[in-house]
Amino acid sequence: MSTTTNTTSLASLPLAAATIPDPKIAMGWLHTAKFLTTAPELKHLPRIEVPEIAFVGRSNAGKSTCINTLTQQHRLAFASKTPGRTQSINLFSLGKQGVTDAVLADLPGYGYAAVPKEAKYRWQQVMGNYLQTRDNLQAIVLLCDPRLGLTELDEVLLDVIRPRVEDGLKFLVLLTKSDKLNKTDAAKALQIVKLQAAGGDVKLFSSLKRQGVEAVAQHLWDWAHPKEKPVKAPRVAPDAEAVQSPPESTPGDLDSAATGPSAN
Ligand code: GDP
């Protein structure tokens, strides 16, 4: 067997290493996630200067499990078997050496059939206001169970964020629990949702099988640390809840926005 076959490719490694993203860095960074604050109403959200990445999706889509998997923490986001337990906006700070350089926002799950029309409308307003007016919102991760596909409320959300996506807001759809699909169905789901999520990136994701974990971590890192415009690293006010409401806030009560026993 020849021992010289790898010489050429090895010679190019130092150059490549400088440009190839290292998911270990992204995963290490995500592991620094710490609970920052919870806001039962939009007006209680602190004003934050660093990039914010919001996780949204139907209840039971696998959002809490996804956040826990990405941050490698068992109970950072409360993964409940009871749909609707997470009904506030939860913020988690990210950053090494105590310097917050990004924030994850875990938004309440939506989509209970039992919710009256009025509450659904209220949810749309609260989410709409957040998604349309949150100044530091840099990216949105929409989680979707591919066995259900994008539902009407997901479509509403897509409509709401479309203008901001056109203005540069990053947007990723994660088809969760991909371990439950065979290859053919996964490819089909990917194709369909890609068509629906015009302009957005779509990926298969499984917390169970760890499919897509490092790729998504890299996305989050890249969004929070854009090459073209380095992100400053100001410290988030330690007593975030004491920070005054941002002027763009509007009244809203997420507790009443999603209540009901079933995820369908
Ligand atoms: P949330 O309501 O969107 O926060 O959803 P959860 O994270 O609580 O997950 C809802 C259910 O889906 C739970 O029973 C999880 O164990 C399950 N689940 C989440 N992620 C996966 C996954 O990657 N694979 C499988 N098979 N089940 C998952």
Side-chain angles (χ1 to χ4, degrees), residues 104-192:
L104 300 182
D106 180 9
L107 272 72
Y110 50 84
Y112 307 115
V115 172
K117 253 190 186 167
E118 197 184 303
K120 281 183 184 164
Y121 178 68
R122 195 176 178 78
W123 168 84
Q124 285 176 26
Q125 279 195 316
V126 170
M127 293 289 266
N129 284 331
Y130 170 87
L131 295 169
Q132 286 171 321
T133 64
R134 186 75 170 152
D135 278 345
N136 62 322
L137 187 63
Q138 177 87 5
I140 295 172
V141 181
L142 169 62
L143 294 101
C144 165
D145 185 329
R147 296 167 302 167
L148 295 175
L150 289 180
T151 61
E152 199 187 329
L153 280 176
D154 295 319
E155 300 271 11
V156 170
L157 188 141
L158 289 181
D159 282 344
V160 164
I161 64 171
R162 190 156 285 128
R164 287 196 75 174
V165 172
E166 282 164 8
D167 281 349
L169 184 79
K170 308 286 189 269
F171 173 50
L172 171 67
V173 181
L174 291 186
L175 300 181
T176 55
K177 311 181 197 179
S178 63
D179 53 275
K180 294 200 182 228
L181 299 181
N182 63 33
K183 270 193 177 171
T184 313
D185 289 343
K188 236 187 257 173
L190 206 53
Q191 228 174 358
I192 293 168

Side-chain angles (χ1 to χ4, degrees), residues 226-238:
K227 285 186 186 83
E228 63 275 14
K229 192 175 148 215
V231 175
K232 285 185 215 150
R235 285 173 193 273
V236 172

Side-chain angles (χ1 to χ4, degrees), residues 59-65 80-81 177 179-180 206-208:
S59 172
N60 214 38
K63 181 159 54 69
S64 311
T65 310
S80 169
K81 295 234 183 278
K177 311 181 197 179
D179 53 275
K180 294 200 182 228
S206 165
S207 291
L208 195 73

Side-chain angles (χ1 to χ4, degrees), residues 25 29-30 32-33 48-53 92-104 136 138 220-221 223-226 230-236:
I25 292 176
W29 170 70
L30 281 168
T32 65
I48 288 172
E49 301 283 325
V50 295
E52 190 160 302
I53 300 170
F92 306 108
S93 63
L94 291 171
K96 297 235 166 186
Q97 275 120 32
V99 180
T100 299
D101 60 3
V103 168
L104 300 182
N136 62 322
Q138 177 87 5
L220 302 188
W221 167 269
W223 288 336
H225 308 89
V231 175
K232 285 185 215 150
R235 285 173 193 273
V236 172

